[in-house]
Amino acid sequence: MSNHKLQLAFEIIARENSRMLTAYLRTLVDDESVVDELFQESMIVAWRRLDKCDLSRPFGPWLRGIARRLVLAHYRKRKALPIFLSETLLTHVDQQFESMATRPGDTWDEKVAAIRECIAALSTSHRAAIKGRYFDEMRTLELATRLGISFEACKKRLVRARAILAECLTRKGVLVPWEARL
Amino acid sequence: MSGENHERDSLSEWLDAGRCVQSEQYKCSGEMEHTADALVVHGLLRDMSRHDDAVQERRITQLLSRIEQHKVIQVTSQTISHSNRHRTGQAGHRFGSGYKALACGAGVAACLLVGFFLTLPSTLSAAKALERIIQSVAQSVDRAYEIHVLEEYQQRRKPENLTEQQWLAESKENVDGAMLYVGGTNRHVFVRSSTDGGQMKSGCDGTESWAFRDDGPIRVSEDLTQFLGKIPGQQQSIAFTDLYSQLTSLRDDYNIELSEPTDRENRIARFVGYRKSREMGGPKLIEIFFDRDDGMIHRMVLDGLPRGHGGPKKVEFVLVSQESLDDRFYSHAFHYDGERKEKRKEAQP
């Protein structure tokens, strides 16, 4: 394949996987400028190492593998690697992303559209917690004040709300049930 | 699945309380899957709330522009080299008589930079200068720095914060005359001699890190930070060879100052960072002479390096080459002939 064609092919693959990669990075990194940096770096490494990629297999897991190493390197360099970010946990996260990526739908948003229904199905108090934390970008302490509950109670409510959303996404087939995992 | 108590406290501390949990209290257990699910849900929510089509398109455009830039550099490099691969002894540089290609490549690069130059403010703030320097280091452009030791620690009395063992330790690696090749955020090769006269090389190609002595096996790891190189100043929180992290630490951990060149023709500005606290780790002072237009570091001085486990007090990095290197230069296989025993180390989060 000529270099020009190779670049065009890579552009198509990069576009197809860009939303997935961004969501993956946002799962593991909070700082949006770091998400940006790691997005560029992952794609550039993928481009440079394209000759090492088995193109008969899905591109997504390979790209996430690159991103995973860069995320770990990012935290290690800053001596800030959260202990729960183990290889095992990252393997589970990867399985869930693969499950989402293979869902029906042309775009990433279509593949994960069920999350909107799951949010709508939350109780009022859980929905308010999720809305404040994620869509209004509030810190937990601010959110606790808004909701009129303690900081610890607010944390627990968020934990519970995310667990309910995970259950809902599993029922809808977006996430793999843990019993079915390797 | 009840959902109750599935998300371990450490994850919640990280997601909701903004605290980094690094204790050994968190162990892998049957709850790992639920923690992973909670993290995925967090990622999906974060992605939903932050997604912006225009920003995503800019990411792709920026990526394609970087790939295009990478190709220009590659083509220029290949034309110049006449496919003549040089080993590390010659720094892996591609030499030749392709001046036209070089001029052409330089022309294209100049065009790419024109827009950037036109938007330059007449004066730089220290913060903007730092971002420009960081941006330059992050670019996939090859640079070679020679390292010189400017000052050694005097053997007077043992500082209170060091153990006897740390105080007496001698580094087995010789930094003076070492070479550091940098090709972006996660690509580097560090070549230095050992005190017994051998040579040591370590590096990272963006997908794996590696290290070997000239007479030893190749140690390889998927952990990109595994062989960053610990000298000088093994107590440093940031590895010596990791220029990018060294510079990003300046954002928060140092008080920064900028001295602009007095005449417009002199483009080299001086940037100084003073460490805010001993607890931060890293050198006391970082002095950078950089091109105010493109952020390229021409000389960098690290003064007051942590002294545990041996190593000098003050070193300088001097830019000696900006020539493009073979794309395989950052992989270990480029640096030796034939087969070598490889020891693969599992990544340990």
Side-chain angles (χ1 to χ4, degrees):
Chain A
M1 200 187 293
S2 73
N3 214 3
H4 180 64
K5 278 186 180 170
L6 191 68
Q7 194 181 336
L8 284 178
F10 183 77
E11 182 179 340
I12 292 166
I13 300 173
R15 282 187 184 281
E16 274 177 1
N17 288 275
S18 72
R19 288 284 286 116
M20 178 278 293
L21 178 64
T22 311
Y24 180 75
L25 291 169
R26 283 179 172 144
T27 300
L28 303 176
V29 178
D30 188 53
D31 186 333
E32 203 61 10
S33 65
V34 177
V35 168
D36 257 341
E37 279 173 26
L38 294 177
F39 177 91
Q40 295 293 328
E41 199 59 25
S42 304
M43 286 289 195
I44 291 285
V45 170
W47 162 249
R48 281 202 204 102
R49 308 282 291 187
L50 208 51
D51 58 332
K52 300 270 189 276
C53 177
D54 180 354
L55 292 173
S56 64
R57 300 174 70 180
F59 184 76
W62 185 69
L63 183 62
R64 283 196 299 276
I66 292 171
R68 170 155 117 171
R69 289 181 202 183
L70 294 171
V71 167
L72 288 173
H74 163 77
Y75 282 122
R76 285 188 183 116
K77 284 176 185 177
R78 282 152 190 78
K79 304 264 189 258
L81 181 66
I83 196 73
F84 56 83
L85 271 193
S86 64
E87 288 288 339
T88 317
L89 181 125
L90 289 171
T91 303
H92 288 306
V93 169
D94 192 62
Q95 276 184 320
Q96 296 297 25
F97 267 83
E98 194 49 22
S99 165
M100 290 185 272
T102 50
R103 294 267 303 160
D106 290 334
T107 64
W108 178 256
D109 289 321
E110 285 175 22
K111 290 173 196 286
V112 297
I115 195 167
R116 292 181 190 280
E117 294 163 31
C118 291
I119 293 171
L122 285 174
S123 68
T124 311
S125 62
H126 286 135
R127 200 166 50 246
I130 291 293
K131 180 180 176 297
R133 182 77 179 87
Y134 291 97
F135 296 91
D136 300 337
E137 299 252 355
M138 294 179 85
R139 288 170 182 269
T140 310
L141 192 59
E142 285 175 88
L143 180 61
T145 310
R146 179 202 268 189
L147 299 177
I149 55 177
S150 71
F151 178 72
E152 286 303 319
C154 187
K155 271 169 58 188
K156 281 193 178 141
R157 193 174 289 182
L158 285 165
V159 167
R160 178 77 183 133
R162 282 191 289 260
I164 295 169
L165 287 175
E167 286 172 24
C168 175
L169 289 170
T170 306
R171 274 198 311 276
K172 289 178 180 291
V174 178
L175 300 183
V176 187
W178 66 271
E179 301 89 343
R181 291 180 215 170
L182 292 173
Chain B
M1 186 159 56
S2 72
E4 200 70 60
N5 297 324
H6 282 163
E7 194 174 324
R8 299 291 297 255
D9 275 344
S10 54
L11 177 61
S12 173
E13 285 290 297
W14 188 57
L15 297 184
D16 304 322
R19 296 182 196 123
C20 179
V21 180
Q22 291 177 283
S23 78
E24 285 298 325
Q25 289 167 352
Y26 184 87
K27 299 288 179 194
C28 302
S29 69
E31 306 253 317
M32 184 71 81
E33 292 89 347
H34 301 298
T35 305
D37 288 356
L39 196 55
V40 170
V41 167
H42 162 78
L44 292 178
L45 290 168
R46 185 62 89 212
D47 187 58
M48 262 179 86
S49 66
R50 292 183 175 175
H51 175 65
D52 180 327
D53 280 331
V55 172
Q56 193 66 20
E57 188 54 36
R58 273 206 297 277
R59 276 197 187 102
I60 298 280
T61 311
Q62 194 186 349
L63 169 71
L64 297 176
S65 144
R66 283 184 68 177
I67 286 174
E68 196 61 42
Q69 203 179 353
H70 178 72
K71 266 176 55 191
V72 169
I73 290 165
Q74 281 299 103
V75 168
T76 310
S77 162
Q78 283 161 12
T79 313
I80 293 168
S81 73
H82 297 299
S83 71
N84 194 11
R85 201 177 91 172
H86 293 261
R87 291 287 171 189
T88 316
Q90 290 145 319
H93 291 125
R94 297 187 169 275
F95 297 108
S97 58
Y99 295 115
K100 281 182 187 172
L102 179 63
C104 173
V108 174
C111 290
L112 289 170
L113 290 168
V114 158
F116 181 56
F117 288 160
L118 288 176
T119 57
L120 277 178
S122 55
T123 55
L124 270 176
S125 70
K128 274 187 185 170
L130 176 59
E131 293 312 310
R132 195 168 290 174
I133 295 167
I134 290 172
Q135 210 174 21
S136 167
V137 169
Q139 280 178 351
S140 304
V141 176
D142 300 317
R143 281 141 292 173
Y145 291 94
E146 190 168 328
I147 299 162
H148 305 127
V149 172
L150 299 179
E151 196 178 338
E152 297 279 0
Y153 276 105
Q154 299 293 316
Q155 294 283 337
R156 287 179 188 157
R157 63 183 179 86
K158 182 177 86 63
E160 285 173 10
N161 62 333
L162 292 187
T163 63
E164 195 67 28
Q165 195 181 10
Q166 285 174 323
W167 170 239
L168 295 173
E170 288 282 332
S171 175
K172 290 178 182 167
E173 301 181 15
N174 187 10
V175 182
D176 201 26
M179 291 294 297
L180 177 64
Y181 302 90
V182 185
T185 318
N186 281 293
R187 292 203 308 166
H188 77 272
V189 171
F190 184 35
V191 185
R192 67 275 191 197
S193 59
S194 56
T195 46
D196 61 8
Q199 194 179 52
M200 303 174 86
K201 289 180 188 171
S202 56
C204 182
D205 65 2
T207 57
E208 58 187 21
S209 61
W210 50 268
F212 65 93
R213 289 176 59 97
D214 45 9
D215 56 351
I218 318 296
R219 290 179 294 148
V220 183
S221 173
E222 284 189 2
D223 174 358
L224 306 185
T225 62
Q226 188 76 51
F227 308 112
L228 273 173
K230 290 178 178 175
I231 53 168
Q234 292 192 11
Q235 285 181 325
Q236 272 185 269
S237 57
I238 296 169
F240 176 64
T241 49
D242 186 7
L243 275 187
Y244 181 77
S245 299
Q246 190 90 254
L247 292 166
T248 50
S249 77
L250 283 162
R251 284 177 179 146
D252 300 318
D253 300 347
Y254 285 74
N255 293 315
I256 54 178
E257 272 176 21
L258 177 73
S259 312
E260 285 270 34
T262 45
D263 58 303
R264 295 286 300 162
E265 288 184 8
N266 184 3
R267 298 194 328 200
I268 304 298
R270 176 175 172 265
F271 175 96
V272 188
Y274 303 93
R275 195 179 63 192
K276 288 178 183 170
S277 155
R278 285 176 71 172
E279 286 162 17
M280 303 291 185
K284 279 183 194 165
L285 184 142
I286 299 179
E287 189 179 17
I288 298 168
F289 297 87
F290 69 102
D291 188 319
R292 70 183 304 284
D293 290 339
D294 63 11
M296 175 73 77
I297 296 175
H298 285 249
R299 180 171 173 257
M300 181 163 91
V301 177
L302 305 180
D303 194 4
L305 287 160
R307 61 194 307 182
H309 308 290
K313 179 170 182 277
K314 185 176 180 181
V315 295
E316 69 169 355
F317 293 64
V318 179
L319 180 68
V320 290
S321 172
Q322 297 178 60
E323 286 185 59
S324 292
L325 301 170
D326 190 302
D327 211 29
R328 294 162 297 174
F329 179 77
Y330 297 97
S331 297
H332 60 81
F334 186 89
H335 298 273
Y336 52 85
D337 289 313
E339 293 291 312
R340 290 281 285 269
K341 193 176 172 187
E342 200 174 292
K343 284 186 177 175
R344 201 158 273 276
K345 189 169 175 167
E346 292 298 318
Q348 301 276 329

